[in-house]
Amino acid sequence: MSIISVYEADKSDLMYKRFASLASSYLDMPENAKSSTAQIPLENLFRLLEMYKYDAFSDESRTGILAVKNNKDRIVMRSASIPWQTKVVEVLDSAISEIFKGTKKDEAVDDLEETLRLLSSSNEIDDGRKRRARGFFNKLAEELA
Amino acid sequence: MSSKEFLRQECKNIKDVLEETLRFKYGLDGSKEFFEECETRRTFIESEINNVPESDYSSLEDIGININELSGLISRIERSSLGEYSWPFVEELKKIAIAVCRESTLIGNDTPPKVYVLSDGGLDAYRIYTEPNRPRVSRRRILTIVFPRTLKYFVLLHPILGHEVGHAIWRCSKLQYELKKIVQEELIDSGGKFESPASTASWIYDKNSPLAIKNYLSFLSKHGINDANLFHWADWEAWKEEILCDLIGLLSFGPSFVAAHCELLYALAPTGASFGDEHPPVGSRIKMVIRAANLLGYNDTSGLSDGDYKEGVNKFWTNLDARKQDDPWYDIFSDQQLISVMERISTLLGQYPPALYQETTPEVLSALFNKVQKQVPPVGYEINEDGLGICKKVDFRNILYVGWIAKQQIPDMPFLKLNQLCEYAILQQRGIDIFLDGV
């Protein structure tokens, strides 16, 4: 038996908050986005935008095809928990609507993904693109908790 | 030592472990990319520790979890040993996984995952760990393919991993979107036992269900599970995903998947009645895969010439049919539902060669079978009438199919020997393919 058992709550909201705040800071200081460690928040935000674009948030860990459970394993009822992405999607919806007024969701996501790519590859980002992305990531950082 | 100091020390320890292991060598392709990925993750965690105040216990706890995950990942990579699994099979499996599990990332629209392989204890070890999509300290996705250590030489059973490839595909957002749509339209909206969680529960608790199922339900009832709360324990979404992955396994590996699926599932659940919170009844899954294979026409021997090979093919499919549960209760979907869903999944997999299994000609399979009869590895190599060697491409999945046919037709040949012949063939075929490609 392990020496400790701790319930690891889903901290996705907090992690995205941190990643969004870092992305916003990279827009102010693009030289910091060049480091390999900066790719971690940027890649995570890119992955989030992909899940959002395709509404593909199904992410549960599955056991193997032959998973055998013996009679020592407890049979446990699942709680009716709120899906992990609920709050994140709410904030994404409102950030898109506020920053990209009237733009279609897919177009807004493509715009943000392109900005993340430009940022991570140290390419020049025009002011309009920078302003939209900064507004979007600041909104995420403010509203996720 | 404060929590923060302890975490900082553990981060340094991980750096030392990385230097001792992945810095230099791992696997056939080296370990540089794993080293770089893990070092990037470690450096990020270190910078997060440095930015957190000593008193921010909540953040320190989260960082501790991230360190644990990284430490576990490095240890798994470290104990991966080429000597513990069939690497010729792995090299072919990687081609499929890398072709199809591509995603849009910062560096492009079809970034492949990094793949590493290890063995573990227990027949149920077969799986592919896919890192989650939700936020984590990682840059590139790493897939971990796991084989049961004891089945190292049993390459004919390894096609079961076709099912696990399905789970790996499911993690790719764009593909998940497409697959979800296919399942919804072809298997859910079309009605039947999976029309809703309630209809699935009514099927499971049908008063005409087989006795073995009733016995299993009686076992579950002792733990408070009944028709009203079945899907408070079981996960209906997981059941659908498992069914989808069985179909992906079939379509990506062909007949060898059908055989491995039937053998392994019945080996662990011989009655076929048991099911789990994530998996629907074993008997239903096996029956669905065999029926689907028949609908694909894999069992059609009408074009084959009489002889040992044809006899072997007939026995292979007849014996599989005999292992299907007779009771119609076990049928989950109609023929039309299976045909429609397979058509659409095939179209999707077909976009990512070699992910979709392609049938070859009976002549090729028959020639491979003749080699096994002579106890020669079944590879694409012939000596022509002039005594010259001719090399031909052969897909490893057809080598495995021929191995299963030989199991039926050459009962005196030990199963282990058949597996070894097929493993050697996959290895030798790799050499032949390299020669033919002029690499």
Side-chain angles (χ1 to χ4, degrees), chain B residues 235-246:
Chain B
D235 181 346
W236 190 63
E237 294 298 327
W239 280 28
K240 287 193 296 178
E241 192 178 323
E242 292 299 325
I243 286 165
L244 169 71
C245 291
D246 279 342

PDB file of all heavy atoms in Angstrom, chain B residues 235-246:
ATOM      1  N   ASP B 235     -19.632   3.112 -17.352  1.00  0.00           N
ATOM      2  CA  ASP B 235     -19.527   4.370 -18.097  1.00  0.00           C
ATOM      3  C   ASP B 235     -19.979   4.098 -19.541  1.00  0.00           C
ATOM      4  O   ASP B 235     -19.260   3.454 -20.309  1.00  0.00           O
ATOM      5  CB  ASP B 235     -18.063   4.838 -18.038  1.00  0.00           C
ATOM      6  CG  ASP B 235     -17.841   6.148 -18.763  1.00  0.00           C
ATOM      7  OD1 ASP B 235     -18.715   6.575 -19.524  1.00  0.00           O
ATOM      8  OD2 ASP B 235     -16.760   6.741 -18.565  1.00  0.00           O
ATOM      9  N   TRP B 236     -21.172   4.579 -19.859  1.00  0.00           N
ATOM     10  CA  TRP B 236     -21.752   4.307 -21.187  1.00  0.00           C
ATOM     11  C   TRP B 236     -20.852   4.852 -22.299  1.00  0.00           C
ATOM     12  O   TRP B 236     -20.682   4.221 -23.344  1.00  0.00           O
ATOM     13  CB  TRP B 236     -23.147   4.933 -21.273  1.00  0.00           C
ATOM     14  CG  TRP B 236     -23.943   4.532 -22.467  1.00  0.00           C
ATOM     15  CD1 TRP B 236     -24.376   3.268 -22.778  1.00  0.00           C
ATOM     16  CD2 TRP B 236     -24.413   5.387 -23.518  1.00  0.00           C
ATOM     17  NE1 TRP B 236     -25.100   3.288 -23.947  1.00  0.00           N
ATOM     18  CE2 TRP B 236     -25.138   4.573 -24.433  1.00  0.00           C
ATOM     19  CE3 TRP B 236     -24.322   6.744 -23.769  1.00  0.00           C
ATOM     20  CZ2 TRP B 236     -25.753   5.079 -25.579  1.00  0.00           C
ATOM     21  CZ3 TRP B 236     -24.933   7.261 -24.908  1.00  0.00           C
ATOM     22  CH2 TRP B 236     -25.632   6.428 -25.805  1.00  0.00           C
ATOM     23  N   GLU B 237     -20.247   6.021 -22.074  1.00  0.00           N
ATOM     24  CA  GLU B 237     -19.345   6.602 -23.076  1.00  0.00           C
ATOM     25  C   GLU B 237     -18.141   5.675 -23.283  1.00  0.00           C
ATOM     26  O   GLU B 237     -17.654   5.510 -24.400  1.00  0.00           O
ATOM     27  CB  GLU B 237     -18.862   7.997 -22.636  1.00  0.00           C
ATOM     28  CG  GLU B 237     -19.959   9.050 -22.570  1.00  0.00           C
ATOM     29  CD  GLU B 237     -20.615   9.312 -23.927  1.00  0.00           C
ATOM     30  OE1 GLU B 237     -19.928   9.217 -24.945  1.00  0.00           O
ATOM     31  OE2 GLU B 237     -21.834   9.574 -23.951  1.00  0.00           O
ATOM     32  N   ALA B 238     -17.659   5.089 -22.191  1.00  0.00           N
ATOM     33  CA  ALA B 238     -16.509   4.183 -22.301  1.00  0.00           C
ATOM     34  C   ALA B 238     -16.897   2.928 -23.085  1.00  0.00           C
ATOM     35  O   ALA B 238     -16.121   2.431 -23.908  1.00  0.00           O
ATOM     36  CB  ALA B 238     -16.008   3.792 -20.914  1.00  0.00           C
ATOM     37  N   TRP B 239     -18.097   2.403 -22.855  1.00  0.00           N
ATOM     38  CA  TRP B 239     -18.558   1.217 -23.596  1.00  0.00           C
ATOM     39  C   TRP B 239     -18.568   1.517 -25.094  1.00  0.00           C
ATOM     40  O   TRP B 239     -18.130   0.707 -25.903  1.00  0.00           O
ATOM     41  CB  TRP B 239     -19.964   0.812 -23.127  1.00  0.00           C
ATOM     42  CG  TRP B 239     -19.991   0.032 -21.838  1.00  0.00           C
ATOM     43  CD1 TRP B 239     -19.080   0.105 -20.819  1.00  0.00           C
ATOM     44  CD2 TRP B 239     -20.974  -0.937 -21.433  1.00  0.00           C
ATOM     45  NE1 TRP B 239     -19.439  -0.746 -19.801  1.00  0.00           N
ATOM     46  CE2 TRP B 239     -20.597  -1.395 -20.147  1.00  0.00           C
ATOM     47  CE3 TRP B 239     -22.130  -1.432 -22.011  1.00  0.00           C
ATOM     48  CZ2 TRP B 239     -21.344  -2.355 -19.453  1.00  0.00           C
ATOM     49  CZ3 TRP B 239     -22.886  -2.382 -21.304  1.00  0.00           C
ATOM     50  CH2 TRP B 239     -22.493  -2.843 -20.045  1.00  0.00           C
ATOM     51  N   LYS B 240     -19.084   2.699 -25.454  1.00  0.00           N
ATOM     52  CA  LYS B 240     -19.137   3.056 -26.884  1.00  0.00           C
ATOM     53  C   LYS B 240     -17.719   3.163 -27.450  1.00  0.00           C
ATOM     54  O   LYS B 240     -17.450   2.724 -28.563  1.00  0.00           O
ATOM     55  CB  LYS B 240     -19.865   4.407 -27.059  1.00  0.00           C
ATOM     56  CG  LYS B 240     -21.353   4.330 -26.851  1.00  0.00           C
ATOM     57  CD  LYS B 240     -22.058   5.600 -27.335  1.00  0.00           C
ATOM     58  CE  LYS B 240     -21.655   6.821 -26.564  1.00  0.00           C
ATOM     59  NZ  LYS B 240     -22.261   8.065 -26.993  1.00  0.00           N
ATOM     60  N   GLU B 241     -16.831   3.750 -26.646  1.00  0.00           N
ATOM     61  CA  GLU B 241     -15.439   3.903 -27.113  1.00  0.00           C
ATOM     62  C   GLU B 241     -14.795   2.522 -27.310  1.00  0.00           C
ATOM     63  O   GLU B 241     -14.054   2.307 -28.276  1.00  0.00           O
ATOM     64  CB  GLU B 241     -14.653   4.741 -26.089  1.00  0.00           C
ATOM     65  CG  GLU B 241     -13.295   5.204 -26.599  1.00  0.00           C
ATOM     66  CD  GLU B 241     -12.550   6.082 -25.582  1.00  0.00           C
ATOM     67  OE1 GLU B 241     -13.194   6.882 -24.884  1.00  0.00           O
ATOM     68  OE2 GLU B 241     -11.316   5.943 -25.504  1.00  0.00           O
ATOM     69  N   GLU B 242     -15.096   1.582 -26.412  1.00  0.00           N
ATOM     70  CA  GLU B 242     -14.518   0.237 -26.540  1.00  0.00           C
ATOM     71  C   GLU B 242     -15.019  -0.454 -27.809  1.00  0.00           C
ATOM     72  O   GLU B 242     -14.252  -1.120 -28.517  1.00  0.00           O
ATOM     73  CB  GLU B 242     -14.867  -0.615 -25.308  1.00  0.00           C
ATOM     74  CG  GLU B 242     -14.211  -0.157 -24.021  1.00  0.00           C
ATOM     75  CD  GLU B 242     -12.695  -0.179 -24.064  1.00  0.00           C
ATOM     76  OE1 GLU B 242     -12.120  -1.070 -24.706  1.00  0.00           O
ATOM     77  OE2 GLU B 242     -12.077   0.724 -23.462  1.00  0.00           O
ATOM     78  N   ILE B 243     -16.299  -0.290 -28.098  1.00  0.00           N
ATOM     79  CA  ILE B 243     -16.867  -0.893 -29.309  1.00  0.00           C
ATOM     80  C   ILE B 243     -16.196  -0.297 -30.543  1.00  0.00           C
ATOM     81  O   ILE B 243     -15.790  -1.007 -31.465  1.00  0.00           O
ATOM     82  CB  ILE B 243     -18.399  -0.682 -29.333  1.00  0.00           C
ATOM     83  CG1 ILE B 243     -19.043  -1.627 -28.316  1.00  0.00           C
ATOM     84  CG2 ILE B 243     -18.970  -0.915 -30.728  1.00  0.00           C
ATOM     85  CD1 ILE B 243     -20.476  -1.283 -27.991  1.00  0.00           C
ATOM     86  N   LEU B 244     -16.070   1.015 -30.534  1.00  0.00           N
ATOM     87  CA  LEU B 244     -15.402   1.693 -31.647  1.00  0.00           C
ATOM     88  C   LEU B 244     -13.971   1.158 -31.806  1.00  0.00           C
ATOM     89  O   LEU B 244     -13.521   0.879 -32.932  1.00  0.00           O
ATOM     90  CB  LEU B 244     -15.372   3.205 -31.376  1.00  0.00           C
ATOM     91  CG  LEU B 244     -14.489   4.013 -32.314  1.00  0.00           C
ATOM     92  CD1 LEU B 244     -15.104   4.088 -33.706  1.00  0.00           C
ATOM     93  CD2 LEU B 244     -14.271   5.434 -31.777  1.00  0.00           C
ATOM     94  N   CYS B 245     -13.268   1.005 -30.697  1.00  0.00           N
ATOM     95  CA  CYS B 245     -11.868   0.562 -30.771  1.00  0.00           C
ATOM     96  C   CYS B 245     -11.767  -0.886 -31.250  1.00  0.00           C
ATOM     97  O   CYS B 245     -10.804  -1.253 -31.933  1.00  0.00           O
ATOM     98  CB  CYS B 245     -11.172   0.751 -29.430  1.00  0.00           C
ATOM     99  SG  CYS B 245     -10.946   2.494 -29.048  1.00  0.00           S
ATOM    100  N   ASP B 246     -12.744  -1.727 -30.902  1.00  0.00           N
ATOM    101  CA  ASP B 246     -12.760  -3.092 -31.451  1.00  0.00           C
ATOM    102  C   ASP B 246     -12.870  -3.034 -32.977  1.00  0.00           C
ATOM    103  O   ASP B 246     -12.200  -3.783 -33.690  1.00  0.00           O
ATOM    104  CB  ASP B 246     -13.938  -3.892 -30.879  1.00  0.00           C
ATOM    105  CG  ASP B 246     -13.646  -4.452 -29.486  1.00  0.00           C
ATOM    106  OD1 ASP B 246     -12.464  -4.527 -29.106  1.00  0.00           O
ATOM    107  OD2 ASP B 246     -14.606  -4.816 -28.778  1.00  0.00           O
TER     108      ASP B 246
END
